[in-house]
Amino acid sequence: MPFIGCLVDGSGIDMKKHLPWVHSSISFLCAITAASAAAVETPTYKVDPTFVTEPLAATPVSIAMTPQDQIQVLLDNGSVITYDATGKKIAEFASQLSIRPSAMTLANGKTYLLSTKTTTEEVEFQGKKRTMTVACGASCAVYSTTGTKESEYVLPEVSSATDAHFIGDALAVADYKKSQIAFFNFKGDKATLTKKIEGEFRLCCGIFDFSPTNDGDSILVANLGAFKVQTFTNRKKRDEFGARGTTLDDYHGCCNPVNVAALGTGFIVTVEKSPTRVKICDRKGKGAKIIDGLGELVNGCSTIPVAVNHKGAIFLASTTKSCIIKCVSDAPPAGISSAPVGAATQKKGPAELSDVRTWQDAQTGNKVTGRLISFDEAPGPSSMVREGKIRLLVGQKTFDLPLTRLIPSDQEFVENLRGKLTAMTTP
């Protein structure tokens, strides 16, 4: 069942040791029985021959999905094309930026185009001096749905922009030159750097791709020089898998995977080049299945942009075929986001009351990693503890545990927070 899989994959919990923690409802016991009976199988995908786009006029750079499941593609000539769900082109605009965009993301009904500024430098290599073009800065321009440029921001402390996505309110930018992912907030006419992930990536071939997960807080990174897929939550590495090799679970070539995307609550799409290989695997990198019939999507070392719509269809932008390819499954995984994560996304449901932290059972010593959430949308003290229990969000699933089972420091944390909420809500 996805519930169990989420707990195991998201936090490394051994459910057999943690059953006393979990709310013992009949439905939960049924879920345990079903999960132990059979593991969730990796879905099988195939190319959809009914989805056909006209030939692309230039090389695809980025691909993204609108909330209406339209497909938006950035080309290296600076144009942005939008296709409907059948592959028909319904809109196009030229960005007309002085520096052609190198990355794209969508949020709030806007198109965000990122550009990489370059300069020439004289460098010495193997005893010879050479003049090389190097990245030296990045900017982000914001466009309306009709292609009108509304604003533009300089991105401080970033040298290049190869990919970008909104993670909550922050724009996250993959910077190949500095091997970092930088997070920015926009206010007025300025972009402010708020945090970075650095010192973790071994990159190659000028490629640096990542993807938001479906929980809206974490990111998947294609760390191709290390032959790994990594998950980061709150800038900290949570999980990783992958190795260079020849088996189905390994990654081949000089460096892979080049691209990655979240597919529902328990699966990941990884994309390899030279030769092209697109796989679906679980969040531990296991149970991989290849999408057959794709052929070569690029020549040599190059990115293969990938996106997933809310029905679980996978879209790949191909340079060699000069088109967008759609792949579908008869049984796509559950938990696909209904819209891209955006800066103005309004979260509904229980309120988040704490950052992700480790909680410990005083009786067994077992630990669980998750954030404290309310039992309903109101984040008041009455919604924080119910019938002597608190509620944790672990990955994308929730479970309840008795407050008295926590170690004293965790109980103190909860009571202090409840006291602050009481003070805030008392007239």
Side-chain angles (χ1 to χ4, degrees):
M1 287 290 290
F3 184 91
I4 303 299
C6 182
L7 292 181
V8 172
D9 293 343
S11 61
I13 300 170
D14 184 342
M15 285 303 301
K16 293 181 179 179
K17 296 180 180 178
H18 288 271
L19 287 179
W21 284 47
V22 186
H23 181 57
S24 56
S25 64
I26 294 177
S27 60
F28 178 72
L29 291 175
C30 291
I32 294 175
T33 303
S36 61
V40 178
E41 184 180 0
T42 304
T44 300
Y45 274 75
K46 60 185 177 182
V47 175
D48 181 359
T50 66
F51 182 87
V52 180
T53 62
E54 64 182 47
L56 301 175
T59 300
V61 175
S62 295
I63 185 170
M65 305 301 304
T66 72
Q68 296 77 32
D69 275 353
Q70 297 167 342
I71 306 101
Q72 196 157 308
V73 182
L74 168 66
L75 304 181
D76 66 353
N77 63 6
S79 62
V80 177
I81 304 174
T82 304
Y83 300 91
D84 66 14
T86 68
K88 179 182 177 181
K89 183 168 71 173
I90 56 175
E92 182 177 5
F93 71 85
S95 60
Q96 297 181 336
L97 293 170
S98 58
I99 304 173
R100 287 182 178 176
S102 54
M104 174 186 71
T105 190
L106 309 179
N108 314 319
K110 310 289 185 182
T111 299
Y112 294 74
L113 298 181
L114 290 87
S115 299
T116 299
K117 183 180 178 182
T118 60
T119 187
T120 56
E121 291 183 0
E122 191 175 76
V123 298
E124 188 170 324
F125 180 72
Q126 295 180 346
K128 297 181 179 180
K129 290 186 177 180
R130 298 181 180 182
T131 300
M132 299 182 64
T133 300
V134 297
C136 62
S139 60
C140 177
V142 185
Y143 290 79
S144 69
T145 54
T146 57
T148 301
K149 182 180 176 182
E150 298 181 345
S151 56
E152 187 167 3
Y153 302 87
V154 174
L155 304 178
E157 299 186 42
V158 168
S159 293
S160 64
T162 61
D163 196 18
H165 297 279
F166 273 95
I167 311 298
D169 292 332
L171 176 68
V173 180
D175 182 356
Y176 178 88
K177 176 73 179 295
K178 291 187 175 181
S179 296
Q180 66 178 5
I181 296 178
F183 295 77
F184 294 91
N185 284 339
F186 295 134
K187 187 174 182 180
D189 60 352
K190 290 185 178 181
T192 302
L193 179 68
T194 59
K195 54 187 177 181
K196 299 178 182 178
I197 303 174
E198 52 189 346
E200 296 281 357
F201 310 116
R202 190 163 80 241
L203 305 175
C204 185
C205 300
I207 301 169
F208 192 9
D209 183 72
F210 71 102
S211 171
T213 64
N214 295 90
D215 62 16
D217 290 327
S218 305
I219 60 174
L220 298 170
V221 180
N223 193 351
L224 70 166
F227 295 87
K228 293 185 181 297
V229 174
Q230 297 172 318
T231 303
F232 290 84
T233 302
N234 294 332
R235 294 178 293 166
K236 296 181 180 180
K237 185 169 64 179
R238 190 183 75 201
D239 292 304
E240 67 177 17
F241 65 82
R244 187 176 189 174
T246 58
T247 71
L248 187 58
D249 290 337
D250 295 331
Y251 296 110
H252 62 229
C254 72
C255 50
N256 269 312
V258 289
N259 296 86
V260 65
L263 184 64
T265 56
F267 297 95
I268 293 171
V269 185
T270 63
V271 185
E272 299 171 71
K273 42 73 180 166
S274 301
T276 298
R277 190 165 70 166
V278 180
K279 298 185 298 190
I280 314 299
C281 62
D282 68 20
R283 294 195 297 176
K284 293 295 184 181
K286 302 301 182 181
K289 290 185 178 179
I290 293 178
I291 302 178
D292 293 324
L294 288 172
E296 289 300 310
L297 301 184
V298 293
N299 288 321
C301 292
S302 181
T303 183
I304 305 174
V306 58
V308 178
N309 73 7
H310 85 276
K311 295 181 180 178
I314 300 169
F315 295 85
L316 299 153
S318 172
T319 300
T320 57
K321 297 179 182 295
S322 188
C323 67
I324 307 302
I325 299 170
K326 180 182 180 182
C327 302
V328 294
S329 173
D330 293 332
I336 307 293
S337 295
S338 59
V341 176
T345 300
Q346 296 294 323
K347 292 186 177 181
K348 296 181 179 180
E352 296 178 353
L353 303 176
S354 78
D355 291 330
V356 175
R357 65 192 303 272
T358 299
W359 308 80
Q360 186 170 357
D361 184 340
Q363 295 183 18
T364 65
N366 293 328
K367 297 179 180 180
V368 60
T369 301
R371 65 176 77 240
L372 179 66
I373 62 173
S374 62
F375 281 84
D376 49 49
E377 291 188 30
S382 62
S383 180
M384 184 174 173
V385 179
R386 291 274 175 88
E387 298 179 353
K389 297 177 181 179
I390 62 171
R391 176 163 290 180
L392 295 185
L393 177 66
V394 179
Q396 299 177 59
K397 298 297 182 180
T398 63
F399 70 94
D400 304 343
L401 58 94
L403 182 58
T404 55
R405 287 289 296 274
L406 295 171
I407 60 175
S409 59
D410 286 342
Q411 292 189 43
E412 183 180 3
F413 175 87
V414 173
E415 292 301 334
N416 287 341
L417 183 56
R418 184 156 60 167
K420 291 178 181 179
L421 291 176
T422 300
M424 292 173 60
T425 57
T426 302

